[in-house]
Amino acid sequence: MNYAEICIIKRDGKKEDFSISKIKNAVTKAFDATGITNEDKLVADITMRVISNFTTPTISVEQIQDLVEKEIMKVQPEVAKKYIIYREWRNTEREKKSQIKQIMDGIVAIDKNDVNLSNANMSSHTPAGQMMTFASEVTKNYTYRYLLPKKFAVAHQLGDIHIHDLDYYPTKTTTCIQYDMDDLFERGFRTKNGSIRTPQSIQSYATLATIIFQTNQNEQHGGQSIPAFDFFMAKGVLKSFRKHLTSLLGFYTSIEGASADEKSIKAIVNEQVSSVKTSEQEKESLRMALTAIGINIEKEVVNKIIEKAYASTRKDTHQAMEGFIHNLNTMHSRGGNQVVFSSINYGTDTSAEGRLVIEELLTTTMEGLGGRGEVPVFPIQIFKIKNGVSYSEEDYQKAMEDFDAAMDGKVKFSTPNFDLFLKACRTTAKALFPNFMFLDTPYNTNELWRADDPKRYKYELATMGCRTRVFENVAGEKSSLGRGNLSFTTINMPRLAIEAHRKAEKLVGTSDKEAFETKEKELFLNSVRSMAELVAEQLYARYEYQRTALARQFPFMMGNDVWKGGGNLDPNQEVGDVLRSGTLGIGFIGGHNAMMALYGEGHGHSEKAWNTLYETIEEMNKVVEEYKAKYNLNYSILATPAEGLSGRFTKMDRKKYGKIAGVTDNDYYVNSFHVDVKEQISIVDKIKCEAPFHAITRGGHITYVELDGEAQKNVKAITKIVKVMHDEGIGYGSINHPVDTCNSCGYKGVVYDKCPVCGSENIMRMRRITGYLTGDLSTWNSSKRAEEKDRVKHH
């Protein structure tokens, strides 16, 4: 055949003359990518063998690439593998070019697709939401092309890994932050348009907390958390109490005709009153101090004034908590009607002021939003369980003896905040929050914690509501305050299991089951290790890029020392080592699906699968320890809170491998180490199965159980479940149950098809998506809706 007459059919249908050099260049690049050089003769031989297979005067580009792949495979399989990966990546790139217009068209038409529903906290159909989605898709494309090192871009685009928040990659933002709110309140802080001084009442404390949340949300791409909400708000309660007491004493003085001014009274009150629960000794000291400046007041009158001041302070605190929750569910922090991804941790402040904050917060949460008492989506609330502070076995048994009396406050407990724990259980039974964090699990303890330390919260773990955990620290003190996650990337674990299974079939066959399973497990663990190493390097590359950000890019976060160390920077300095206290998360998804790919059974009931999954995450932790030592950074394993990702990987793998029972036959992969959502398993067994994984996923984790019926009618059962979590070593847990509201008449309860009162089908179904709630299932993407539909109830 005369090669000069051969015609090449390109992918767009156009024709061009044949060129030997293009085949030779493609083969050479494949060799170079493998590190094999100086093989000109072999490259030339392969090129000629490819051409010798031409049988017609016209041939397509795809046919030529198939021939190239076949001929390289005969002599250099490793080079062929590189060629195949490159070819697949180029196909993906071409598909993206054609897809980008379809994506944009879908945004314009506000289609109900997974691009527009990628974030359940955003209204993508609003103009600002559309702009956010446009920007997100375009910026991701820019990141792939110009910012990501090629090997990481390829791994992401092919679906081996998922680099989270790629649209924010160019901005160099960090993911989340845990506030040292006490420091901000005491020093005051600056926003763009002015300075804020130290607040002087509980209303101001609560309002400024929402302002801090809202302002900083624009400088990060993830969530924000207050680690010790009760401790931080307590000062505001005391200030309000003193203010009311001063005002009432001043009013009484004016009626009695005394000449003392309010300034003098205020000084005495501030000196003599140290708590909203004043002791008899404090009351008498206050009375005597007033007498010394000419205000003669009877003991009974002092008592009544203090009672009135306390009642006014409780009312103020209630209104402050009400405003706090309402603001966090209505104040938009970004385009698309997004409210702040906010979380608050509490439960261990035993002061009268801190306890009052939590009492009123729980009451407000129970009351809900608006006239119909809608369940608030934010903030995600986390109640901290601490032995001897908010929990004890003795008090638990006492409560179980007469639970109704315990809930009514008729039982005296030895643990100071056990009554608040019971109220937290009652609140979560109605409002799905608070979740529960367990401070006495060995990996959540801090040796510096002391019960008599007024700032002991510094040494208590706090978490983001979605599950992200920041505690251990190679760059400083072990604490959650003033730190956050830098970025995280997730491994497609089911794909590695599918590949290991298929390779083992080729290498040893399936006739000897034991030998086969040993081989596939070995291959799987090796591939997980390699992928974890790839992710660790990718996270380091992103960290090095984030370090180059200037402090002035984050005026609130760095300028106000929100991220500890940032306050020492000049605005034009790079943030650099300030970020070393942050965490880098190696995430994973689909542990259950991976075990199904290997063994045909999940880890919920299979000891073999459970052991393999546990060993797999231990192997990932070995990589974490190696990279901690290599770069002296806070690497950790994260049980990824997958929202859009749960469907992305599955669709890609189904296209690549077809439908595999229990692996790719659903629209989603099961989150992290969770038991399959369809698995029939008891509450206790699910908790026991998942608890050990919490200790080896220090970047964050959560275990939930799914209840049927109206949980608020059985608070005792909620309390028992929390105890099981406590006893089994859960780090962070939550309890899901249906919360349905009829939008037509306001009926609340479990609604199956139609409202039992008015017959309406317009029902709002409140469910938990990753760690936070969403007001309506219709805002979820298709994969998470499919997952929610499959969730079985645990008994």
Side-chain angles (χ1 to χ4, degrees):
M1 183 181 295
N2 185 351
Y3 298 128
E5 297 177 357
I6 294 176
C7 181
I8 306 300
I9 308 298
K10 298 177 70 176
R11 289 180 180 83
D12 61 3
K14 294 180 181 179
K15 297 179 180 180
E16 69 174 25
D17 294 336
F18 171 69
S19 170
I20 292 178
S21 63
K22 287 188 176 181
I23 298 177
K24 186 178 179 181
N25 288 340
V27 177
T28 301
K29 286 181 180 178
F31 273 82
D32 290 344
T34 319
I36 300 174
T37 57
N38 301 319
E39 289 286 357
D40 294 347
K41 185 178 185 307
L42 183 55
V43 169
D45 288 345
I46 292 170
T47 303
M48 294 312 298
R49 282 200 295 271
V50 169
I51 297 170
S52 69
N53 282 292
F54 291 2
T55 57
T56 60
T58 59
I59 186 168
S60 70
V61 170
E62 292 290 341
Q63 288 174 313
I64 294 175
Q65 289 185 338
D66 288 342
L67 291 171
V68 170
E69 192 176 301
K70 178 181 175 183
E71 293 302 328
I72 298 177
M73 185 65 75
K74 290 178 181 178
V75 293
Q76 285 285 357
E78 283 302 310
V79 176
K81 182 179 178 181
K82 290 287 184 181
Y83 181 80
I84 292 166
I85 291 172
Y86 175 74
R87 184 181 175 189
E88 189 172 348
W89 178 69
R90 289 294 299 160
N91 287 338
T92 303
E93 282 289 279
R94 278 187 289 272
E95 285 178 13
K96 282 185 70 65
K97 286 181 181 178
S98 62
Q99 286 173 359
I100 194 72
K101 184 176 185 300
Q102 294 176 9
I103 290 171
M104 296 301 178
D105 288 345
I107 297 170
V108 171
I110 59 171
D111 291 342
K112 198 168 185 179
N113 56 38
D114 287 347
V115 171
N116 288 336
L117 297 176
S118 62
N119 180 352
N121 189 35
M122 186 173 81
S123 301
S124 58
H125 57 274
T126 62
Q130 285 179 301
M131 285 301 297
M132 287 286 289
T133 312
F134 279 132
S136 175
E137 294 303 316
V138 171
T139 309
K140 285 177 188 175
N141 191 266
Y142 172 77
T143 303
Y144 293 139
R145 291 177 177 278
Y146 306 112
L147 297 181
L148 271 180
K150 185 177 177 181
K151 64 179 179 179
F152 304 138
V154 169
H156 177 96
Q157 289 176 298
L158 296 184
D160 294 331
I161 64 175
H162 182 86
I163 304 170
H164 292 267
D165 302 296
L166 268 174
D167 45 351
Y168 278 91
Y169 197 108
T171 69
K172 306 177 184 178
T173 60
T174 57
T175 304
C176 57
I177 189 69
Q178 297 265 13
Y179 289 111
D180 184 349
M181 197 72 81
D182 188 57
D183 181 49
L184 278 171
F185 284 154
E186 289 305 304
R187 287 189 296 106
F189 56 88
R190 285 193 62 84
T191 62
K192 181 181 179 181
N193 295 317
S195 297
I196 306 296
R197 66 175 182 270
T198 302
Q200 297 300 317
S201 68
I202 183 58
Q203 293 100 325
S204 295
Y205 270 75
T207 300
L208 289 183
T210 61
I211 291 172
I212 290 167
F213 267 136
Q214 186 184 35
T215 305
N216 201 67
Q217 186 70 75
N218 291 298
E219 296 182 15
Q220 294 193 291
H221 56 254
Q224 303 166 69
S225 180
I226 299 177
F229 186 73
D230 40 1
F231 282 93
F232 296 153
M233 293 292 117
K235 288 183 179 180
V237 174
L238 182 57
K239 287 179 181 180
S240 285
F241 178 66
R242 286 171 169 169
K243 186 180 292 185
H244 283 301
L245 189 52
T246 298
S247 179
L248 289 168
L249 286 169
F251 179 69
Y252 173 82
T253 301
S254 66
I255 290 177
E256 292 296 309
S259 60
D261 63 289
E262 191 167 301
K263 187 176 180 181
S264 300
I265 296 173
K266 180 180 179 181
I268 290 172
V269 168
N270 289 346
E271 181 182 347
Q272 300 296 332
V273 177
S274 62
S275 172
V276 297
K277 291 289 187 181
T278 50
S279 66
E280 290 303 316
Q281 183 179 345
E282 276 188 319
K283 290 175 184 176
E284 183 60 19
S285 295
L286 173 64
R287 193 175 74 84
M288 295 304 293
L290 291 170
T291 301
I293 63 168
I295 302 176
N296 296 310
I297 185 168
E298 297 294 327
K299 184 176 181 180
E300 293 75 14
V301 175
V302 169
N303 288 341
K304 287 181 180 180
I305 288 176
I306 287 175
E307 286 174 10
K308 176 62 177 174
Y310 180 79
S312 297
T313 303
R314 178 178 283 277
K315 182 179 179 181
D316 285 353
T317 304
H318 182 84
Q319 290 177 338
M321 295 304 101
E322 189 175 56
F324 179 73
I325 289 179
H326 278 70
N327 283 335
L328 286 178
N329 285 278
T330 55
M331 289 198 321
H332 299 159
S333 61
R334 290 196 195 128
N337 297 351
Q338 287 188 84
V339 295
V340 179
F341 285 94
S342 54
S343 306
I344 56 174
N345 298 255
Y346 56 78
T348 56
D349 186 355
T350 57
S351 73
E353 295 77 27
R355 284 175 48 79
L356 184 58
V357 167
I358 302 313
E359 286 174 9
E360 297 308 321
L361 176 72
L362 293 172
T363 300
T364 300
T365 304
M366 290 274 286
E367 291 171 350
L369 303 172
R372 291 180 173 176
E374 299 165 18
V375 173
V377 174
F378 290 108
I380 303 170
Q381 298 181 36
I382 303 110
F383 188 90
K384 297 191 280 191
I385 304 289
K386 177 67 180 173
N387 293 339
V389 178
S390 56
Y391 183 85
S392 75
E393 181 65 24
E394 177 190 346
D395 284 338
Y396 173 82
Q397 296 300 336
K398 192 183 292 185
M400 289 299 116
E401 290 171 7
D402 190 344
F403 195 76
D404 290 339
M407 291 303 302
D408 290 340
K410 297 176 182 177
V411 177
K412 186 171 179 60
F413 299 110
S414 58
T415 310
N417 283 1
F418 189 84
D419 59 331
L420 293 182
F421 163 63
L422 292 179
K423 290 176 182 178
C425 290
R426 181 175 62 191
T427 306
T428 202
K430 181 176 182 180
L432 289 163
F433 286 148
N435 300 336
F436 296 91
M437 185 170 58
F438 302 88
L439 297 182
D440 290 298
T441 50
Y443 49 90
N444 284 348
T445 60
N446 190 322
E447 60 279 1
L448 296 178
W449 189 92
R450 298 194 327 272
D452 61 351
D453 182 355
K455 292 196 173 185
R456 57 189 177 275
Y457 59 81
K458 291 173 60 177
Y459 309 111
E460 294 175 358
L461 172 69
T463 186
M464 298 299 307
C466 64
R467 79 192 62 187
T468 309
R469 180 180 180 276
V470 179
F471 200 38
E472 296 82 10
N473 190 9
V474 300
E477 196 169 52
K478 182 180 179 180
S479 177
S480 296
L481 271 67
R483 305 171 57 212
N485 177 254
L486 297 173
S487 67
F488 64 99
T489 295
T490 295
I491 293 171
N492 184 348
M493 195 174 277
R495 174 177 290 191
L496 299 180
I498 295 168
E499 291 283 356
H501 183 85
R502 294 189 172 190
K503 286 178 184 176
E505 283 181 331
K506 291 181 181 178
L507 291 172
V508 300
T510 57
S511 56
D512 185 338
K513 185 178 180 183
E514 184 177 349
F516 168 70
E517 289 186 347
T518 299
K519 190 63 178 178
E520 68 172 350
K521 179 180 175 181
E522 176 193 334
L523 292 168
F524 176 62
L525 290 176
N526 287 340
S527 64
V528 168
R529 163 172 270 279
S530 296
M531 199 59 69
E533 289 171 345
L534 176 78
V535 169
E537 291 291 357
Q538 179 270 311
L539 291 169
Y540 181 69
R542 187 169 187 172
Y543 164 74
E544 285 288 286
Y545 181 65
Q546 288 173 306
R547 284 173 55 91
T548 65
L550 301 180
R552 61 186 168 90
Q553 291 180 249
F554 314 107
F556 186 83
M557 183 166 64
M558 295 299 170
N560 291 296
D561 206 39
V562 172
W563 190 289
K564 292 296 186 185
N568 297 324
L569 297 173
D570 181 270
N572 290 315
Q573 275 185 278
E574 292 186 353
V575 294
D577 281 348
V578 167
L579 296 187
R580 281 192 60 240
S581 65
T583 62
L584 299 168
I586 302 176
F588 67 98
I589 191 174
H592 161 77
N593 307 91
M595 295 308 100
M596 290 294 295
L598 294 177
Y599 304 122
E601 53 188 359
H603 61 293
H605 287 105
S606 166
E607 184 179 358
K608 175 172 58 180
W610 191 96
N611 287 335
T612 296
L613 183 57
Y614 190 86
E615 192 175 336
T616 301
I617 301 171
E618 282 190 312
E619 192 67 30
M620 294 171 68
N621 270 294
K622 291 177 185 176
V623 175
V624 159
E625 292 306 315
E626 291 167 11
Y627 275 84
K628 269 186 182 179
K630 182 177 181 179
Y631 293 126
N632 198 23
L633 292 172
N634 291 304
Y635 282 92
S636 57
I637 301 300
L638 171 69
T640 296
E643 188 175 337
L645 175 58
S646 62
R648 176 182 180 251
F649 277 164
T650 316
K651 289 172 185 173
M652 297 178 81
D653 288 350
R654 186 185 301 139
K655 182 178 179 181
K656 185 170 185 175
Y657 304 108
K659 280 194 175 183
I660 303 172
V663 186
T664 61
D665 56 344
N666 291 316
D667 291 332
Y668 56 90
Y669 281 150
V670 178
N671 259 1
S672 60
F673 54 71
H674 289 178
V675 173
D676 183 17
V677 297
K678 299 192 295 295
E679 186 111 15
Q680 295 293 337
I681 189 170
S682 72
I683 290 170
V684 173
D685 286 344
K686 186 177 193 295
I687 291 170
K688 285 184 175 181
C689 178
E690 294 183 2
F693 292 102
H694 286 222
I696 56 175
T697 51
R698 303 285 181 94
H701 44 245
I702 191 171
T703 281
Y704 75 90
V705 294
E706 196 83 27
L707 304 186
D708 203 356
E710 294 188 49
Q712 61 181 316
K713 294 179 180 178
N714 195 356
V715 179
K716 190 174 184 178
I718 297 287
T719 310
K720 288 180 178 180
I721 293 169
V722 178
K723 173 183 164 51
V724 174
M725 289 181 173
H726 169 274
D727 293 349
E728 294 299 328
I730 287 289
Y732 178 43
S734 66
I735 300 166
N736 291 349
H737 52 87
V739 177
D740 300 330
T741 303
C742 175
N743 286 324
S744 298
C745 72
Y747 170 80
K748 289 183 182 299
V750 179
V751 180
Y752 295 98
D753 296 314
K754 298 179 180 180
C755 174
V757 174
C758 70
S760 172
E761 296 181 0
N762 184 13
I763 309 299
M764 182 175 72
R765 302 186 185 278
M766 181 73 73
R767 301 293 186 271
R768 195 185 311 275
I769 188 167
T770 55
Y772 64 93
L773 309 180
T774 178
D776 194 335
L777 285 173
S778 65
T779 64
W780 291 23
N781 62 63
S782 60
S783 59
K784 292 306 286 187
R785 285 200 303 272
E787 186 230 87
E788 193 280 335
K789 185 178 179 181
D790 286 346
R791 293 177 185 174
V792 300
K793 307 301 179 183
H794 305 124
H795 301 284

